[in-house]
Amino acid sequence: MTTTLRQTTTLRIDQEKKDRLETPADDRHSSAHALMLEAIVEYVEREEKRGQYRKEAEAAWLAYQETGQHITAEETIAWLESWGTNAEQDALACHN
């Protein structure tokens, strides 16, 4: 069995936000604490994905600057429009 160490962290929020948390927590038969934990986990996961997307975009931009390899918007649109038709095209290859 894997044991996850937990630490207590204080989160100071104003009374209005605390009150607002009670309604969705009650609706879910849960606690405001559980709702906050879920929100934090979702936020961190989203930010990690956003950071990874940014890194991949920067790498793609650098690769384009170095090689000039690309696919035009028009080529991409034509390729996408072929999906599900009898004339469906294979994936496009980058070119200069």
Side-chain angles (χ1 to χ4, degrees):
M1 177 188 290
T2 303
T3 303
T4 303
L5 297 176
R6 294 179 154 209
Q7 294 183 345
T8 300
T9 299
T10 301
L11 181 62
R12 298 186 198 287
I13 60 174
D14 60 53
Q15 189 62 44
E16 179 206 356
K17 288 180 184 72
K18 187 174 180 181
D19 293 342
R20 288 177 61 199
L21 281 167
E22 292 302 323
T23 300
D26 289 345
D27 290 347
R28 297 171 82 177
H29 305 289
S30 186
S31 65
H33 175 81
L35 200 64
M36 288 185 280
L37 287 175
E38 182 180 336
I40 291 167
V41 168
E42 287 179 8
Y43 174 81
V44 170
E45 288 174 352
R46 183 177 61 242
E47 289 304 307
E48 288 171 340
K49 288 176 185 175
R50 184 175 286 154
Q52 184 61 36
Y53 176 79
R54 222 177 280 122
K55 286 178 187 176
E56 290 172 7
E58 289 171 5
W61 175 243
L62 288 174
Y64 167 73
Q65 289 178 315
E66 291 174 4
T67 67
Q69 294 283 302
H70 68 283
I71 299 170
T72 67
E74 292 82 11
E75 291 168 331
T76 303
I77 291 168
W79 174 62
L80 291 171
E81 288 176 344
S82 78
W83 288 12
T85 69
N86 291 334
E88 187 167 321
Q89 302 173 13
D90 290 333
L92 301 172
C94 293
H95 57 80
N96 285 334

